[in-house]
Amino acid sequence: MTLVEKWMNTLRTRTVAFIAIILAVSVTAISCSSGGSTTATATPGISPDLVADYIHTVLEADRTAYTKHVVNRATMLEGKEKADGVVPVEATETWQQGEGIPLPAQMFRLGSEIANDKGYFTYNLISPWYINDSHAPKGEFEETAVETMIETGEPVKDYQEIAGQSYYSAMYPDKAVAEACVSCHNTHPIHLERYPDKLFVMDEVMGGVVINIPLEGA
Ligand code: HEC
């Protein structure tokens, strides 16, 4: 073996040893930081505030994607022809009575009914000017938070207790981002009957998405 070869061998052995130490340290660090439990409430470092923001992001994304990529392709929306529609179907509140497909708010509620049944956490659309009775603000948190949210246009978050169980609750504003939101609600027969003086305008907060996360052991 030449001197250079010997030197190369030593270097290789040292490099391998060095990499092994680094790996051992990172494995230890990962196993220490992952804790033991798999429940979200028991994992240190994830605040319920952040969990609510994550859930809300997914809910909003799904609703927007459904509106953009399904409802917008229908040729009819609640009895009116849609110029950019390409699929011969109608998006309508009475979808179950005919051959229509659900409106985005109905799709949202249908999803929430399935998710809420699982018993992990609940979410719901609410509004003081609700068309569907299941969207009425309920309880002290919702009744107070909805007022603040409409006034400020910002999310409202707080702890609340219902029947001895503590929850972290968050309410996110649902704004009139398209002309269709305003025109459909303003001309809806139930809206006209219940809130004849309420005329929604663009960008107004029309209601909110409420998420309730139960807190373990609280
Ligand atoms: C074509 C009609 C139509 C359009 C467009 C529409 N909505 Fe609705 N919206 C409804 C109906 C009908 C309901 C009740 C659905 C149900 O039974 O769950 C509803 C429910 C809601 C609710 C819950 C309170 C309630 O009235 O029951 C909010 C908040 C809401 N819509 C906001 C919006 C926003 C924001 C947009 C635009 C991004 C929008 N809507 C677009 C018809 C419409």
Side-chain angles (χ1 to χ4, degrees):
M1 212 184 271
T2 66
L3 241 173
V4 172
E5 277 172 330
K6 257 190 195 163
W7 179 76
M8 285 294 282
N9 264 346
T10 320
L11 190 69
R12 211 172 290 140
T13 318
R14 283 193 187 158
T15 311
V16 169
F18 185 61
I19 290 173
I21 290 169
I22 298 267
L23 278 178
V25 169
S26 15
V27 167
T28 315
I30 291 166
S31 52
C32 287
S33 65
S34 68
S37 173
T38 50
T39 57
T41 38
T43 307
I46 301 183
S47 64
D49 172 48
L50 196 54
V51 175
D53 284 354
Y54 288 162
I55 297 169
H56 179 243
T57 302
V58 177
L59 297 178
E60 271 309 286
D62 281 357
R63 180 150 159 231
T64 307
Y66 179 69
T67 308
K68 217 167 149 182
H69 302 298
V70 180
V71 171
N72 280 354
R73 291 171 65 78
T75 42
M76 300 281 281
L77 174 64
E78 212 59 284
K80 295 192 199 101
E81 270 191 51
K82 284 180 80 273
D84 51 353
V86 287
V87 183
V89 70
E90 178 176 15
T92 170
E93 189 179 351
T94 56
W95 61 280
Q96 270 170 314
Q97 278 86 60
E99 293 183 345
I101 56 169
L103 296 174
Q106 292 178 302
M107 194 66 183
F108 188 93
R109 178 169 51 76
L110 294 167
S112 85
E113 285 165 7
I114 295 169
N116 295 354
D117 268 356
K118 305 229 179 235
Y120 294 115
F121 61 90
T122 61
Y123 67 88
N124 201 11
L125 253 184
I126 55 121
S127 171
W129 308 282
Y130 54 88
I131 293 172
N132 186 312
D133 290 350
S134 73
H135 296 146
K138 289 166 284 294
E140 201 187 321
F141 169 77
E142 290 187 8
E143 280 163 16
T144 321
V146 78
E147 297 295 327
T148 315
M149 183 190 65
I150 287 167
E151 219 173 278
T152 62
E154 296 293 327
V156 181
K157 297 167 172 176
D158 208 350
Y159 292 89
Q160 64 166 330
E161 202 173 306
I162 304 168
Q165 167 70 53
S166 292
Y167 292 88
Y168 183 80
S169 296
M171 189 184 287
Y172 301 83
D174 195 31
K175 293 185 182 165
V177 289
E179 194 51 48
C181 316
V182 171
S183 61
C184 186
H185 277 254
N186 285 345
T187 56
H188 193 283
I190 295 181
H191 180 92
L192 290 172
E193 190 193 313
R194 289 182 180 169
Y195 327 102
D197 301 329
K198 178 65 191 171
L199 263 189
F200 287 118
V201 293
M202 274 298 283
D203 297 320
E204 187 175 352
V205 177
M206 294 175 67
V209 173
V210 187
I211 298 168
N212 298 303
I213 302 167
L215 302 172
E216 242 174 51

